[in-house]
Amino acid sequence: MLVLSCSTKLLILEKMLKSHFPESLKAETDNLDHYTNAYAVFYKDVRAYQRLLEECDVINWEQVFQIQGLQSELHGVSKAVAESKRLDVKLSSFKAVHLPPVSAPPDTSSLMGSSPRLTYLSVADADLLNRTWSRGGNEQCLQYIANLISCFPSVCVRDDKGDPVSWSLTDQFATMCHGYTLPEHRRKGYSRLVALTLARKLQSRGFPSQGNVLDDNVASISLLKSVHAEFLPCRFHRLILTPATFSGQVHL
């Protein structure tokens, strides 16, 4: 692997990478869009992370945004710095999960005949996903989901009318998210099929097959256990930070 240290070469590389970004990721940012305005954090020294927040021009504190990570000090340090800048902080915490390698194609016996069929999501499905996601129901989430569908791997089962009945997609941090099956199509094996198919697709492209689940989501936890997913000893933390300017305007 070539390691670049020359500032000129680094600038050239940055321009090359940006030229290959999907157009949907180069659009003007929305200051209320905490789905897209997101930072993933990992640190070896929590003091270095705190200094990064306090001293460096890394984060745009003038917009609503999220910070996510797996380390226990993340909340306390971020909250202290954010409150000093008059931002409100909302924490959500989840079980962190890693799916094992999926070497063989998942069993598709639950799909009988020509319908339903296993395929992938399209941007036309974004409205349905926005309406069914516990984090959704707003314009920012609708656009965010459309961008995820356009840019990253997804899997879904469609009925005989071509409508999605079960699905999962991938976010900008290569995390499997919004796994959902419509109530009238549950207990048919679709969620398992979708999860394993997406995990295999991600693994084939060199990505980890990772996700997170709420502690009280019994159905999803049972599904993950049935496919021998590993529940990590750490937790996944998501912080949504809101400047006082936008208080009351944000869909959380």
Side-chain angles (χ1 to χ4, degrees):
M1 180 179 70
L2 179 64
V3 178
L4 298 181
S5 57
C6 171
S7 58
T8 302
K9 290 182 178 179
L10 287 169
L11 286 172
I12 293 173
L13 177 61
E14 180 183 19
K15 290 180 181 178
M16 291 174 61
L17 290 173
K18 285 184 175 179
S19 70
H20 288 83
F21 282 173
E23 288 299 321
S24 57
L25 296 184
K26 293 191 285 188
E28 183 178 353
T29 57
D30 179 347
N31 283 333
L32 292 175
D33 181 10
H34 59 80
Y35 306 94
T36 305
N37 306 331
Y39 304 83
V41 172
F42 175 80
Y43 50 81
K44 291 186 176 180
D45 182 347
V46 68
R47 294 168 297 181
Y49 171 57
Q50 183 170 350
R51 288 194 298 272
L52 184 75
L53 293 179
E54 292 174 337
E55 302 170 8
C56 300
D57 187 21
V58 173
I59 289 178
N60 181 357
W61 296 95
E62 304 301 317
Q63 62 181 194
V64 185
F65 64 95
Q66 67 167 283
I67 296 176
Q68 57 175 255
L70 299 171
Q71 290 160 286
S72 58
E73 307 97 338
L74 179 67
H75 177 226
V77 173
S78 304
K79 181 178 175 66
V81 176
E83 289 182 344
S84 72
K85 299 177 180 292
R86 299 185 62 245
L87 278 78
D88 178 66
V89 180
K90 179 188 177 183
L91 169 68
S92 299
S93 182
F94 307 77
K95 292 179 181 291
V97 184
H98 180 261
L99 274 73
V102 183
S103 55
D107 180 11
T108 58
S109 59
S110 60
L111 306 180
M112 304 300 293
S114 60
S115 179
R117 58 192 176 91
L118 187 66
T119 179
Y120 50 85
L121 292 163
S122 75
V123 173
D125 304 318
D127 181 64
L128 173 62
L129 271 66
N130 184 38
R131 287 186 279 110
T132 52
W133 200 5
S134 59
R135 297 180 58 207
N138 58 78
E139 187 61 34
Q140 286 84 11
C141 188
L142 176 63
Q143 185 58 53
Y144 173 67
I145 290 173
N147 286 342
L148 294 186
I149 293 171
S150 297
C151 301
F152 305 114
S154 66
V155 172
C156 76
V157 173
R158 295 184 183 274
D159 63 13
D160 55 356
K161 297 179 181 178
D163 297 324
V165 298
S166 182
W167 59 80
S168 185
L169 61 161
T170 313
D171 72 11
Q172 66 266 50
F173 300 114
T175 300
M176 297 168 65
C177 65
H178 195 7
Y180 188 85
T181 300
L182 296 177
E184 60 271 28
H185 291 278
R186 291 174 185 170
R187 305 186 69 82
K188 297 180 180 179
Y190 294 165
S191 293
R192 180 189 180 93
L193 174 61
V194 165
L196 290 176
T197 303
L198 181 56
R200 189 168 189 261
K201 182 182 289 190
L202 290 170
Q203 292 165 8
S204 71
R205 300 184 183 187
F207 292 103
S209 47
Q210 61 189 6
N212 52 78
V213 60
L214 286 168
D215 294 81
D216 60 356
N217 191 337
V218 177
S220 291
I221 291 173
S222 297
L223 168 64
L224 290 165
K225 288 181 177 178
S226 75
V227 299
H228 308 293
E230 177 186 5
F231 289 84
L232 305 180
C234 55
R235 292 184 65 80
F236 173 81
H237 307 286
R238 180 189 297 117
L239 284 64
I240 298 179
L241 299 91
T242 306
T245 309
F246 298 116
S247 179
Q249 301 180 46
V250 183
H251 297 279
L252 301 178

